[in-house]
Amino acid sequence: MTDLHAATTRARDRARTVGVVAEAADKQSTLAAIGRALHFPDYVAPNLDALEESVRDLSWLPVGPVELVWADGLLRAADPPTHRVIGEILDGASSTEGERPFRVTRVG
């Protein structure tokens, strides 16, 4: 987990809001962990559509850069198709523009 710690430390130097997702090996636990890490509102359902909408919005977070540090190794090994889809959603939401630019750092 040293890599996760180092990545999180670097993220805190760059971003106002940093969410950390430690190892999660299945779709539901990964979606729930991302929701907790980014403080998704209670009304956000733990599904892929809601993930995509939420990471493109982030309006409930303070203005400033947002970074998600994702230890993705277990999910990648356990469920490659789900890992790919979640990765595509997160990468697709990454932006350096707007009030809450979003970045994803993968560890693992």
Side-chain angles (χ1 to χ4, degrees), residues 21 23-36 45-51 70 74-76 78-86 89:
V21 175
E23 298 283 352
D26 61 60
K27 178 181 173 181
Q28 286 310 109
S29 61
T30 301
L31 292 172
I34 293 169
R36 284 190 305 276
N47 63 54
L48 295 171
D49 289 334
L51 173 65
W70 178 28
L74 280 180
L75 183 63
R76 184 177 53 243
D79 188 349
T82 297
H83 176 269
R84 181 184 51 76
V85 171
I86 291 175
I89 290 169

Side-chain angles (χ1 to χ4, degrees), residues 4-101:
L4 180 62
H5 177 71
T8 302
T9 299
R10 286 189 301 273
R12 289 193 175 120
D13 289 338
R14 298 188 281 265
R16 174 159 185 175
T17 302
V18 176
V20 179
V21 175
E23 298 283 352
D26 61 60
K27 178 181 173 181
Q28 286 310 109
S29 61
T30 301
L31 292 172
I34 293 169
R36 284 190 305 276
L38 296 177
H39 309 287
F40 286 179
D42 291 338
Y43 60 80
V44 175
N47 63 54
L48 295 171
D49 289 334
L51 173 65
E52 185 166 20
E53 290 175 19
S54 296
V55 294
R56 290 182 182 277
D57 180 0
L58 301 174
S59 61
W60 55 89
L61 295 176
V63 171
V66 177
E67 186 161 344
L68 179 69
V69 180
W70 178 28
D72 66 341
L74 280 180
L75 183 63
R76 184 177 53 243
D79 188 349
T82 297
H83 176 269
R84 181 184 51 76
V85 171
I86 291 175
E88 288 173 356
I89 290 169
L90 295 174
D91 291 344
S94 293
S95 172
T96 58
E97 299 178 9
E99 291 185 330
R100 293 167 192 84

